[in-house]
Every structure is written in structure tokens, then in C-alpha cells.
Amino acid sequence: MSSCFLDILSSDNSIAAAPQLLFTPPDRQTWEKCFYFVLDFGADRAKLIHTALLLWGGSLNYSWQPAVASSRGLQTSAGVAELPEVAAIRTYFYVGGKYVTDGNGLHFLKDQMYVERLVPAGGSKHEVPLIFLHGASQTGTNWLNTPDGRRGWASWFLQRGYVIYIVDQTQRGRSPLLPGVGSLAIFSAEFVSQLFTAVEKFNLWPQARLHTQWPGTGERGDPIFDAFYASQVQYQNDTVIAQTANQNAGAALLDLIGPSILVTHSQGGPIGFLITDARPSLVRALVSLEPLGSPFSEIPTFSNNPGPLTRLYGLTNIPLSYSPPIKNVTADLATVNVPAPNVELTDCLLQASFTPRKLINLAKVPMLLVTAEASYQAQYDYCNVRYLRQGGVNVEHLELGKAGFHGNAHLFFLEKNNLAIAARLERWIRKFSSPIAS
């Protein structure tokens, strides 16, 4: 863009390799546009430009420091020019659910899903909206601000002109749970540190040592960690109940709003497969951010072997559509153990048949599966990709480390380089959401 002349042509990512960087936007609005233009250069180039901007400093008081949390909530560090939120029109509604009786003549609504709709103030620029579906112990707040006060993915995609739907999974957050349904669980602070925010300190899997991107210590007592941990909520621990209710509500949402691009994370990954299976004609594309577990196993494992075989339908605990149809799930989806190619990966369980059954509905939808460099899923996400391809699914595998985004763990959409990663994903997403003609 003309107001941001950037001469960064060398492949050497050092300041010396940037012979000139003229970045003198006249006002705040233009500066913000330039900021996001910079992110399109990718992770390594964005880091270089940010460094140069720090050296440039001056008139706009630019700083790449995070906001910090205090007892009064999230506060901006003194002297930091924080980007304002993107203007949007917000509405909300509920989908799905059904009335049930308590046996005494009283009726209650069960399994409805909260949906928040955000529309760019300037109107939509893309024909297809995005639906964001969070993971276990989380809510839709995952996609809003980061725990250290930076913009999240919702703001970033809104600024790019996408209409966004953010949900709370059924029986979670603002989606009510009837007392006595299933069983509840919640993550401890120690569990969150070990698996998500301070993984490099515990080294429970080989790739954990590479983690550098969480903004803070990642442990209890750090204000940024405490701000994140405060957002953790109880969740439905009965996987069959959770997957069934969310599949039904997700399908109802698609029936209401029409074709959409689905973005899922972690425990929301299998739910995304199920929603897509139920409404393949309404899912324009699926972006699966580290879908929980590996084929036939939903429990994270820290050894070379797959975990307990609890995921009977390969990717989910409840039925998926296969061809030929499944009649006896254990016999028809017999497995074979495929050894890992190296010691940093786990073995894979794949279909044993020489003519594997096809995932006939998932095969109709283009998919992108995203894996972070330092996450526990880096051990076995390649197994999910292999299983999907064995089932005839057109899935691309974006390994963030190989794409130049280093040091991320499972919550990369909240980490320091979250917007650069969003820019990379949007390059794939926009292939399936054509611009609206002005």
C-alpha cells in the first residue's frame, strides 16, 4: 500500500538486511492499516518490521509491549499505544435445544447453544461468515482479547471484513446446563501450565522444549496467567453427551445462517467433524486447530504409543458417516498400528483394511489442519492427517514451525504471534469466501 513503503527484500532476517524502512503514516487509522499490512509478510518478516518500528519509535509512541493484568482487571502498560478494538455490530441468539420434563409436569429447555454474531461496522466484505468453536474448559472468549490485553482473532477477522459467529458449546458458559446431566470437569491451574502455557518448564513431550510464545511465565501468580485461568469454566466430561448435543446445535446453526467456514480448536475439533458430517453442503471449508487426540484415542499421550482406544469411530466417539456403512464398529473399523517415523512422534492407529472405508461426507469439504511446533499435538497430529486422507478427505496440513511460526504451543491463537498466524490462515480461508462486489 502506498502509505507503507517497505523495502525488505533480503531473505536474511536481520536488521542489517533491511536497507530502508519508510513507515510514516500520517494518522492513527492509516497506521493501523499499515500494521496489518505488515503481518501479511509472515512471521519472520513481521518480527523484523516490528523490531525496526521499535527503533523508529517517536511520533506515534509505537511499542510492542503487552498489556498487563492488575487487581482492577486488564490495564495498558504506561506509555504503550494500544490498538483500539475493531468497531462491530453485536447481536446474540440461541439455536438448538429441546424441552424436557422433570416428570412432575415442569418443562426445561435442554442443550441450546449460545451464539454471538459480530458484523463489521462497515459491512461484510466476504460472502461466507466464520464460525469459531472453542475447546475444553473454554468459552467463546478465547477468540476475543488475549489474556495480556492484545487483540484476538475475532477483531483481526472483523477488520478484514468477515462476519463472525462465536459460540459457547452446549452445557457450557452462556449455554445452560441442566443439573444432573452427565458429569462435569474443570482444568486445574497446574494442568493448564503443564499442557498449555508453560510447557517448556515440564518437558512432558519432546517438542515442549521449543515453547517461547506465551506472554508471561505461564504459571499461577503471573498476572497474565491468572487473567487466562480466570476464564476457565466447568465442561461436560461425558464425551458422548457433549458431542451429540453440540453436533445437533451446530447443525441447527448452519440451517439458520447458511454456508459458513468452520474454525475449531482442540476438543471442538471432533465436534467440528461431526457438524460437517451432518451438514456437508453448508460447511464451505473446515479449519481444524489441533483437533483433540489422535485416531481412536481422545486422551493426550506422552509416550510413543497411542492412548486408550475410546474413540470408536476413528475421529469421534459417536457415529460418523462411512462408505460402506458401519454395521459393527469394532469389526468394520479394525485398526493397525503404524510405527512412528522418529522418536519425537507417536505411532498411528489407522484402518487396517486394504480398502479402507471412506468418510463420505467429510470428503466433500476442504480442510486445513493446523499444528503448533511445541504443542503436545505435534507428536500425533500427522496421524489425524493420515487418517483423514485414508478416508478420502482433502486435507492440507499446516505445521506452523515449518511455515516460519516458531515457539507456539496448543493455545497459539492467544500467544504473542497470534495475529501473524491469523494472517497466514486467512490466506487459505479466503479461497473459500469470495469478496462481495462493492
Side-chain angles (χ1 to χ4, degrees), residues 139-353:
T139 67
T141 59
N142 271 172
W143 314 107
L144 302 174
N145 311 81
T146 64
D148 57 336
R150 292 172 292 112
R151 280 182 178 174
W153 279 14
S155 291
W156 194 90
F157 281 97
L158 278 169
Q159 201 216 27
R160 290 301 177 99
Y162 290 91
V163 173
I164 292 173
Y165 293 87
I166 297 175
V167 308
D168 283 356
Q169 284 191 33
T170 59
Q171 306 173 9
R172 180 101 56 92
R174 291 162 291 188
S175 301
L177 169 70
L178 287 185
V181 176
S183 61
L184 298 182
I186 192 170
F187 294 159
S188 69
E190 290 76 13
F191 181 90
V192 171
S193 293
Q194 292 169 9
L195 264 70
F196 306 141
T197 61
V199 305
E200 72 282 3
K201 299 177 182 179
F202 300 94
N203 283 315
L204 296 178
W205 57 92
Q207 298 86 345
R209 70 187 188 279
L210 302 174
H211 187 222
T212 60
Q213 291 288 353
W214 183 260
T217 69
E219 295 186 281
R220 184 168 54 91
D222 176 81
I224 297 171
F225 176 87
D226 293 345
F228 173 66
Y229 189 69
S231 71
Q232 306 300 287
V233 300
Q234 66 275 18
Y235 65 97
Q236 178 58 260
N237 199 36
D238 186 314
T239 305
V240 170
I241 291 176
Q243 290 185 0
T244 302
N246 279 292
Q247 182 187 36
N248 292 336
L253 175 59
L254 287 170
D255 289 340
L256 179 65
I257 67 175
S260 304
I261 294 172
L262 190 56
V263 181
T264 68
H265 177 244
S266 194
Q267 180 244 357
I271 294 168
F273 295 140
L274 287 164
I275 294 171
T276 302
D277 188 58
R279 298 292 187 273
S281 64
L282 295 178
V283 178
R284 187 67 59 85
L286 172 61
V287 179
S288 189
L289 312 174
E290 300 200 348
L292 177 65
S294 60
F296 299 98
S297 176
E298 65 182 313
I299 306 299
T301 179
F302 307 123
S303 70
N304 186 251
N305 301 313
L309 306 187
T310 55
R311 190 162 282 166
L312 296 179
Y313 291 86
L315 300 170
T316 61
N317 299 59
I318 66 174
L320 281 171
S321 299
Y322 283 89
S323 180
I326 299 293
K327 297 179 180 179
N328 181 316
V329 65
T330 53
D332 293 344
L333 286 181
T335 63
V336 61
N337 189 80
V338 179
N342 61 63
V343 296
E344 293 199 345
L345 302 176
T346 67
D347 295 348
C348 294
L349 288 177
L350 301 176
Q351 292 188 59
S353 173

Side-chain angles (χ1 to χ4, degrees), residues 37-229:
F37 174 68
V38 163
L39 291 179
D40 283 337
F41 276 74
D44 294 328
R45 294 298 172 84
K47 187 185 299 182
L48 166 62
I49 297 167
H50 294 155
T51 304
L53 286 171
L54 284 170
L55 296 177
W56 167 67
S59 62
L60 287 175
N61 194 26
Y62 177 85
S63 177
W64 194 245
Q65 301 173 16
V68 297
S70 76
S71 60
R72 297 190 300 276
L74 286 172
Q75 305 290 328
T76 304
S77 301
V80 173
E82 186 182 59
L83 290 176
E85 278 301 317
V86 174
I89 300 169
R90 183 181 66 85
T91 55
Y92 78 92
F93 55 92
Y94 284 83
V95 293
K98 62 181 179 180
Y99 280 102
V100 295
T101 180
D102 65 353
N104 296 313
L106 299 178
H107 292 81
F108 303 89
L109 194 61
K110 177 176 179 285
D111 294 343
Q112 65 271 39
M113 175 184 280
Y114 172 88
V115 183
E116 188 168 321
R117 182 175 187 255
L118 298 172
V119 179
S124 174
K125 297 179 181 178
H126 300 272
E127 63 170 353
V128 177
L130 307 179
I131 301 173
F132 285 93
L133 179 64
H134 59 81
S137 209
Q138 315 299 306
T139 67
T141 59
N142 271 172
W143 314 107
L144 302 174
N145 311 81
T146 64
D148 57 336
R150 292 172 292 112
R151 280 182 178 174
W153 279 14
S155 291
W156 194 90
F157 281 97
L158 278 169
Q159 201 216 27
R160 290 301 177 99
Y162 290 91
V163 173
I164 292 173
Y165 293 87
I166 297 175
V167 308
D168 283 356
Q169 284 191 33
T170 59
Q171 306 173 9
R172 180 101 56 92
R174 291 162 291 188
S175 301
L177 169 70
L178 287 185
V181 176
S183 61
L184 298 182
I186 192 170
F187 294 159
S188 69
E190 290 76 13
F191 181 90
V192 171
S193 293
Q194 292 169 9
L195 264 70
F196 306 141
T197 61
V199 305
E200 72 282 3
K201 299 177 182 179
F202 300 94
N203 283 315
L204 296 178
W205 57 92
Q207 298 86 345
R209 70 187 188 279
L210 302 174
H211 187 222
T212 60
Q213 291 288 353
W214 183 260
T217 69
E219 295 186 281
R220 184 168 54 91
D222 176 81
I224 297 171
F225 176 87
D226 293 345
F228 173 66
Y229 189 69

Side-chain angles (χ1 to χ4, degrees), residues 343-381:
V343 296
E344 293 199 345
L345 302 176
T346 67
D347 295 348
C348 294
L349 288 177
L350 301 176
Q351 292 188 59
S353 173
F354 288 109
T355 56
R357 281 174 160 76
K358 299 304 179 183
L359 292 155
I360 54 173
N361 286 342
L362 297 188
K364 300 172 183 177
V365 177
M367 294 188 190
L368 179 68
L369 194 147
V370 184
T371 306
E373 182 178 57
S375 172
Y376 55 83
Q377 295 260 159
Q379 303 169 98
Y380 44 75
D381 255 353

